[in-house]
Amino acid sequence: MIWVGIKRVIKSGFINFWRNGFVSFSSIMVVTMTLFVFTSLIFLSILTNSYLGQIKDKVDINVYFATTASEPDILALKKTIESLEQVSHVEYISRDQALKDFKIKHQDDESTLQGLDELDGNPLQAVLNIKAKEPSQYSSIAKFLESKNTLSKNDSTLVENINFHKNKQIIDRLSKILDSATKLGIALIIFFVLVSVIITFNTIRIIIFTSRDEISVMKLVGASNRYIRWPFVVSGLMYGIISALITLIAFYPILYYVNKVIANFSPGLNLVDYYATNFGQIFLIITGSGIFLGAVSSYLAVRRYLRI
Amino acid sequence: MIYYDKVSKTYADNSEALSDISFTIEAKEFVSIVGHSGAGKTTLLKMLLAEEKPTSGSVFFESVNIHKLKRNKMNRFRRRIGTIFQDFRLLPNKTAYENIAFAMEAAGRTDEEIRADVPHVLELVDLGKKLWNFPHELSGGEKQRVAIARAIVNQPDLIIADEPTGNLDPINTHEIIRILKKINDLGTTIILTTHNRGVIDALGGRVITMEGGRIVRDDKKGKYVL
């Protein structure tokens, strides 16, 4: 009996979906819009995260060593810095490496290279590039470097220059901007998700409002609430699934286009590749949201008219 | 079978639809209720379907107080009553066949029963050829016959017909009344409300006359007196 009931409910859900073509069409439109907002938010947050990440990546502290500093001393200091918990990464560029880089950078600039040749030996300094885990941690790292007396050895200065204070203002402002950008992003996402969910719920409620006479007839014929409600939920489920499929398909060409646009200022990021590799996850989120929106809003909307 | 005990209904705006109504209907009776619009006929029937609650008094169906039924028992109870309305109230997105099948499905009948009974009952009301038509493809008389078929398919104990001929021409009116009479002869209790003098005089059965929310006459072999 239960199976017969389920079979009948699913069948009449399908038939209603098909016969109320216009109603189904409008519902699908609304749910699709909402899912478009969801998907856009997902990719927007990926985009911003990648930008913020790139900006964060550009910030570092450079420690320039005196040309007299020996390599073992520098490496020892590197080890101490790496052991700090705020530090994510330390890069060592030796004097020889710095010279090579310099030559490659100026390979078309004859006069500079000639000038370099006229000097005795290598005038360039060894550098440690220090990256913090969070931009706000740079000042504590800088403080550590300055207080540390390892920076000088046997009264001869090991470190010639730390370029933190020059960058301090920029770094501070940047970390504030990053912070508020993240907060604003989360607030915007919550706002848009809320607005689109409310719009969908109300639209489906209005659509089902047109069926209220039908529902009252069903009640008079003696149909149980379950038997009246579930075909609507099945139709709602179909709205959700179809909307999700439309959204997932439509985003392929959209991302392809967006990718071309952003390629100019974000070379590392490929949204189409991202979509392809994370398709399973995105599919689950979008289809899940679609099913939830369609089915739950239908369920709640019908409930109003069942109280006779 | 049905007993109205001092039933009154006052709406929120203090208009009194029914005041102190008491009467009994026996099984297998064919009772007509007549009265002007606003006399309280429809409210009286809505009480019986539990679409409206009385302000005071109670309505009994086989000694069960209808308005104290729990929701799941209410569905069962409603399946024992077939309803026919002036505006037909068919499900617009279902064919004649599906409209009737829906009532059977709601009553928990099997697919085999549905396949066997629906064509049969549509044959009874002379709609054997219109099984797959939607309501908007049927005439008023045909719609009402689908509604009657739906009302009788679950073999109810009682049929409530609220001005079933209100939207029909004289020939269709005559046809609908003939069908209702036949159903009554087969043992189903029928309550009919109408404005139509010809219908009442042709039936020659019990007539309850209402005016201003009260019963003013109740005649065993009634005529249309207003």
Side-chain angles (χ1 to χ4, degrees), chain A residues 7-8 19-20 222 227, chain B residues 79 93 98 103 105 109 111:
Chain A
K7 192 194 80 189
R8 285 173 179 172
R19 288 198 185 147
N20 300 325
Y227 194 66
Chain B
R79 285 172 208 153
N93 287 314
E98 289 166 344
E105 287 175 5
R109 310 279 289 273
D111 289 349

Side-chain angles (χ1 to χ4, degrees), chain B residues 111-158:
Chain B
D111 289 349
E112 291 73 37
E113 286 177 296
I114 291 171
R115 273 196 292 274
D117 288 4
V118 175
H120 178 66
V121 78
L122 276 169
E123 201 69 56
L124 269 181
V125 294
D126 287 332
L127 280 176
K129 292 200 176 95
K130 304 252 174 174
L131 252 61
W132 304 111
N133 286 78
F134 286 95
H136 66 86
E137 297 165 341
L138 299 172
S139 74
E142 287 169 335
K143 278 186 227 180
Q144 197 58 294
R145 279 184 276 159
V146 174
I148 291 176
R150 182 180 66 185
I152 60 174
V153 75
N154 285 326
Q155 286 131 26
D157 303 316
L158 169 69

